[in-house]
Amino acid sequence: MFPWPRTLDASPVFSINQLTATSSGRNRFIAEFISHLKLHGFARIRNSGVAPESIKELFRQHRNFFNLPLPAKLTVRHPGGVAPARGYSPWAYEKTAVLRPDLHAAPGVDTLISSPSHQIEFSARSVGLIGSSKTQLLDAREQFAIGPPGDSSFPTPQLAESLLPDFNAATRDAYHEIAKTCSKLVLAIELGLGVPLGTFDSLATGELGAELNLNFYPEVEHNVLNDNNGSDVAMRRIWPHSDLGIISALFQDGVGASGLELEVRGSREGNCEFAPVPIEQEGDVLLLVSNTLERWTNGDLRAALHRVGLPPGSTTSRVPERRSAVMFFRALPTADIGPKPHFISTENPARYDHITAGDYLKRHNKRLY
Ligand SMILES: O=C(O)CCC(=O)C(=O)O
Ligand SMILES: [Fe+2]
């Protein structure tokens, strides 16, 4: 286990090509990988199978898209509502603060009151910074959501080629490549948990259910993300939350720590603290356990709480832009995401209800947009 307190940069980097090592090497790798995921809910992954050039190309497209003038981006606007997200969401449109209202601290306070992440859907606390009069909590973020290329029920709006030649095709290629890697990561998790192969992945799908999200956090004045600015609005790049799917595979443009923070587990009971997680090498992936996997494993694996704050040591009056791309690898919309029998016993009864992944997403989107 890496050292406590408050540093996640000593967490190991798992080279996923160890899956094809000799059997003793492979077994050791799987055991270390799964025990790390159980303890921390995330893992840094190298040699994931997604070519670094593909990630470079994805972020080139990412940059070109968000640099377009607003009217051009609005031609592929996400219509909102409970359907799966598709297309462009402008600045502050998606509101992640509604997801975990219990985690919002008073300004400047970083020790937060926590509750188990499975309570995400039950949280009834009012939305507001604890101890503050802020009335609106918004995300300083724009976004483009890409659905499964074969999804004719919820197609992704296609950008006119005259605006950006190749954007549609390049993001489609990235979608397939990253989905393949997600399948491999889920396989490693199945092996680690000792469940029959296909327990999670036969229901997961790169073709239906998953979503590749491009996140853009524009450069802003420091005080936009600071609560002492005299306005009624509190903004964060992204408020604390966990993702909905089985796993998320997160790529960041550039290396180092640029604001992404994960929950540091093992702090005092009842507290929740976050620390930056740097990306060491271009193309490295951050694997996050997400809610569906927590539900399926009846809490054996717990979803990673994360947020995007200020880059560490940021002292200038402007906060530099940030770009990320996250694959939400989700279950098929028709799949039941209640606990699997393998994880239920008399000592450990089911802690989650039965619901389909599609209904779970609708419930989530109703609050988010
Ligand atoms: O930008 C990031 O690194 C985090 C994005 C994220 O948490 C999300 O899209 O759900
Ligand atoms: Fe997230």
Side-chain angles (χ1 to χ4, degrees):
M1 188 160 92
F2 55 79
W4 168 257
R6 288 167 191 265
T7 171
L8 295 177
D9 53 6
S11 96
V13 177
F14 292 92
S15 185
I16 202 75
N17 57 10
Q18 287 297 306
L19 272 182
T20 52
T22 55
S23 71
S24 64
R26 175 180 147 116
N27 291 345
R28 193 168 351 103
F29 167 79
I30 289 167
E32 283 170 12
F33 172 67
I34 205 72
S35 96
H36 189 272
L37 278 189
K38 282 188 186 183
L39 277 170
H40 304 292
F42 79 95
R44 299 195 290 179
I45 307 287
R46 185 155 304 157
N47 301 316
S48 71
V50 180
E53 305 77 61
S54 306
I55 296 304
K56 236 186 213 127
E57 173 60 13
L58 178 62
F59 282 116
R60 197 177 70 79
Q61 298 290 346
H62 191 306
R63 213 174 341 265
N64 290 343
F65 175 78
F66 289 102
N67 280 345
L68 288 172
L70 184 61
K73 290 188 273 193
L74 289 174
T75 61
V76 284
R77 181 167 187 169
H78 168 42
V82 299
R86 302 286 184 258
Y88 175 66
S89 293
W91 165 267
Y93 185 57
E94 187 179 300
K95 295 170 186 65
T96 51
V98 303
L99 298 176
R100 288 299 299 267
D102 53 316
L103 292 181
H104 306 150
V109 176
D110 202 38
T111 302
L112 311 173
I113 301 160
S114 171
S115 65
S117 49
H118 69 273
Q119 285 180 11
I120 186 166
E121 59 262 51
F122 305 124
S123 182
R125 298 273 298 270
S126 62
V127 178
L129 289 162
I130 295 165
S132 150
S133 59
K134 298 285 178 191
T135 53
Q136 258 198 307
L137 311 186
L138 300 176
D139 291 33
R141 179 172 66 124
E142 301 175 38
Q143 197 194 338
F144 188 87
I146 301 153
D151 186 357
S152 52
S153 310
F154 302 105
T156 305
Q158 299 293 287
L159 191 70
E161 289 288 309
S162 55
L163 286 173
L164 211 53
D166 301 337
F167 177 78
N168 302 314
T171 50
R172 209 160 38 230
D173 290 350
Y175 183 101
H176 287 305
E177 211 174 328
I178 299 172
K180 227 181 270 165
T181 279
C182 287
S183 269
K184 204 158 48 170
L185 293 169
V186 170
L187 168 75
I189 292 171
E190 287 173 340
L191 290 168
L193 292 173
V195 296
L197 299 190
T199 300
F200 306 135
D201 198 35
S202 67
L203 302 173
T205 165
E207 301 311 319
L208 276 181
E211 197 177 290
L212 177 61
N213 257 270
L214 310 182
N215 293 307
F216 175 52
Y217 310 87
E219 183 188 282
V220 286
E221 293 279 348
H222 215 286
N223 72 2
V224 170
L225 302 173
N226 177 333
D227 294 326
N228 304 319
N229 56 11
S231 94
D232 261 4
V233 176
M235 287 199 113
R236 298 287 183 276
R237 285 192 147 170
I238 196 164
W239 291 86
H241 67 285
S242 54
D243 298 339
L244 239 65
I246 304 166
I247 56 167
S248 297
L250 190 154
F251 298 85
Q252 152 189 312
D253 191 17
V255 294
S258 61
L260 177 66
E261 298 176 2
L262 270 95
E263 178 191 10
V264 181
R265 293 182 180 168
S267 58
R268 282 154 294 139
E269 193 62 32
N271 290 302
C272 175
E273 297 185 40
F274 291 85
V277 182
I279 298 295
E280 264 185 10
Q281 262 184 36
E282 226 165 310
D284 279 1
V285 186
L286 192 70
L287 157 65
L288 303 175
V289 172
S290 303
N291 296 358
T292 300
L293 193 54
E294 175 172 325
R295 297 175 123 265
W296 273 341
T297 62
N298 202 24
D300 197 15
L301 285 171
R302 282 186 299 125
L305 269 180
H306 55 286
R307 67 183 185 186
V308 177
L310 297 172
S314 101
T315 46
T316 53
S317 62
R318 298 193 70 80
V319 184
E321 65 181 26
R322 169 180 170 78
R323 295 167 194 279
S324 67
V326 189
M327 173 64 90
F328 299 133
F329 199 59
R330 297 194 184 126
L332 269 179
T334 50
D336 183 311
I337 57 166
K340 300 270 183 197
H342 193 90
F343 299 95
I344 302 173
S345 63
T346 343
E347 303 77 57
N348 191 24
R351 298 165 57 193
Y352 305 83
D353 60 345
H354 286 275
I355 182 170
T356 65
D359 285 344
Y360 190 63
L361 180 66
K362 276 189 205 151
R363 189 155 92 185
H364 172 264
N365 284 352
K366 202 170 166 182
R367 303 165 65 204
L368 204 53
Y369 294 106

